[in-house]
Amino acid sequence: MEYKNIKMVGDTETVRYLLKKEGKRILYVIGINPSTANEEKPDRTIGRVMRFAEDNGFDGFAMINLYPQRSTRPYNLHRELCVEMHRNNLLAIEELFYDVQSPTVLLAFGNNIRIRRYLKDCFRDIVSIIQQYSPQWKQIGNLTGLGNPRHPLYARKESLRDFDVQQYLK
């Protein structure tokens, strides 16, 4: 998959709500937070997302995140939830999924969801938006030892497996 015709919603310094490459079959991916990828260049995570997408028969991807704050290290995320940033993230996600039926949604945030207490709540809010579109929830290979879907950087080349989002949220 070539890194061309990429659409980004956000900016290059502080937030990214969406990074998308159109295609006939799009893999929707939920990560933890955006790093450095933009419309011109991918980062390591986006490179891996593109490979997983292509290896599993997708020709496009849409990358969203639990929290839209840009940071190369998840430990640098805000200590407390920025409500406005979260609200804008949810609006972008609603717009992304509007009119999409049965999207394939890959959960790819790994154990970093435990870094900040608010991240699991962000995930719940995102699931409540996407659930109405009858998604097919997926994970890469097996869950981590802590029971979270693997981050693409820490997953081997494996096929996508079904993920029970309702069980996970309990």
Side-chain angles (χ1 to χ4, degrees):
M1 180 182 303
E2 288 187 75
Y3 200 76
K4 288 185 172 180
N5 302 317
I6 305 295
K7 174 188 174 191
M8 184 179 79
V9 177
D11 62 57
T12 57
E13 299 297 320
T14 58
V15 297
R16 188 185 76 215
Y17 301 106
L18 170 67
L19 193 65
K20 183 177 184 183
K21 177 177 178 60
E22 289 291 347
K24 291 183 178 135
R25 191 159 181 248
I26 295 175
L27 178 63
Y28 296 84
V29 183
I30 302 176
I32 192 79
N33 72 291
S35 184
T36 61
N38 59 34
E39 291 168 321
E40 280 86 47
K41 63 178 180 56
D43 56 21
R44 288 180 49 226
T45 298
I46 295 298
R48 292 297 299 265
V49 163
M50 289 170 45
R51 274 178 279 195
F52 278 109
E54 193 168 47
D55 289 349
N56 287 278
F58 296 89
D59 62 349
F61 70 89
M63 183 78 193
I64 57 176
N65 290 281
L66 299 180
Y67 196 63
Q69 179 190 355
R70 281 187 180 270
S71 177
T72 56
R73 301 193 68 231
Y75 285 98
N76 291 335
L77 291 178
H78 297 138
R79 294 250 178 239
E80 300 294 325
L81 175 76
C82 173
V83 174
E84 180 181 356
M85 195 178 279
H86 178 56
R87 183 175 45 244
N88 289 338
N89 196 39
L90 296 177
L91 289 172
I93 291 168
E94 283 184 86
E95 187 174 319
L96 172 65
F97 283 94
Y98 181 77
D99 269 351
V100 176
Q101 284 303 311
S102 299
T104 301
V105 181
L106 174 62
L107 302 177
F109 41 77
N111 292 334
N112 285 335
I113 194 169
R114 300 167 63 112
I115 289 173
R116 297 287 182 261
R117 186 172 291 166
Y118 60 79
L119 291 173
K120 198 135 187 192
D121 291 332
C122 292
F123 181 58
R124 286 180 203 283
D125 292 344
I126 292 168
V127 168
S128 71
I129 290 169
I130 299 173
Q131 198 65 25
Q132 65 187 311
Y133 301 104
S134 303
Q136 299 169 37
W137 299 102
K138 299 291 182 180
Q139 67 187 48
I140 302 167
N142 294 324
L143 296 175
T144 67
L146 295 174
N148 296 301
R150 292 194 181 280
H151 187 287
L153 290 179
Y154 309 108
R156 287 177 276 167
K157 185 177 177 177
E158 297 187 55
S159 60
L160 306 183
R161 298 182 183 180
D162 290 338
F163 181 85
D164 187 343
V165 75
Q166 295 308 320
Q167 180 64 35
Y168 181 76
L169 289 174
K170 286 184 181 177

